[in-house]
Amino acid sequence: MDAIKSDVRKLVNKELNAANKRFRPFASPHEGQNIVREELEEVEQALMPLELHVKKRMWNAVKANKTISREELQEIREMAVDLAVEAIQVAAMVKKFEHGQHRGWPGGKENRHGTEKKVTPGGCGNRNHNHEQENGGSSKASV
């Protein structure tokens, strides 16, 4: 696990940078916590089919001394990768929360006088989350 931990941290920063390009900073701790929670729910959703495949289908094949197809193993592996991506998004949004907290929630203080710019909640950037994307992105938080 330690062999890839620094790589995962780099991926967290990459995900955070991508999210910051698409979405403004969190406006409040409530908004930030809700986005983190939403990302955590996506982790749980990604875990369910993986768990089913490993605990039921894979285990049943092993107990029956059957070969597991290459396609099924590839499907399980892709589910695990999807889970890892969702976990990275959680970590990125926690870091975005930390930045917002440290900076006094700048997303709620943006000056919008005389503009029609739609400000979106600060999501992860890989899912729509029913948020509208900003025109031109937002400022990039330092990592």
Side-chain angles (χ1 to χ4, degrees):
M1 187 153 157
D2 289 335
I4 63 168
K5 207 166 200 174
S6 67
D7 292 336
V8 171
R9 285 191 180 103
K10 289 175 188 172
L11 291 172
V12 168
N13 290 333
K14 184 176 183 175
E15 179 64 28
L16 176 61
N17 288 333
N20 285 339
K21 287 178 183 176
R22 292 188 61 203
F23 301 100
R24 64 161 170 75
F26 295 141
S28 70
H30 292 91
E31 179 188 30
Q33 191 272 343
N34 281 325
I35 297 294
V36 171
R37 206 163 116 186
E38 188 176 329
E39 293 300 324
L40 183 59
E41 287 174 2
E42 291 178 8
V43 167
E44 293 166 350
Q45 291 170 357
L47 179 59
M48 283 188 264
L50 176 61
E51 204 169 27
L52 176 69
H53 273 73
V54 172
K55 288 184 175 180
K56 301 285 185 197
R57 295 173 73 178
M58 191 178 195
W59 178 234
N60 286 338
V62 169
K63 287 190 302 186
N65 204 23
K66 291 184 179 176
T67 300
I68 303 165
S69 73
R70 183 178 185 165
E71 293 79 19
E72 178 131 13
L73 292 172
Q74 185 175 5
E75 185 179 357
I76 293 169
R77 190 172 54 247
E78 284 304 310
M79 287 181 203
V81 168
D82 291 344
L83 177 62
V85 168
E86 295 297 344
I88 287 167
Q89 290 174 355
V90 171
M93 292 304 97
V94 169
K95 193 164 187 175
K96 185 170 184 156
F97 185 98
E98 178 185 13
H99 291 171
Q101 182 173 271
H102 178 73
R103 294 182 179 124
W105 307 106
K109 298 174 185 170
E110 289 186 356
N111 182 0
R112 289 173 262 164
H113 298 287
T115 67
E116 291 289 323
K117 180 179 177 183
K118 292 182 180 180
V119 178
T120 60
C124 73
N126 283 349
R127 298 257 193 286
N128 186 348
H129 297 298
N130 298 321
H131 307 301
E132 297 176 34
Q133 186 172 353
E134 283 187 13
N135 297 329
S138 66
S139 63
K140 189 186 279 188
S142 62
V143 180

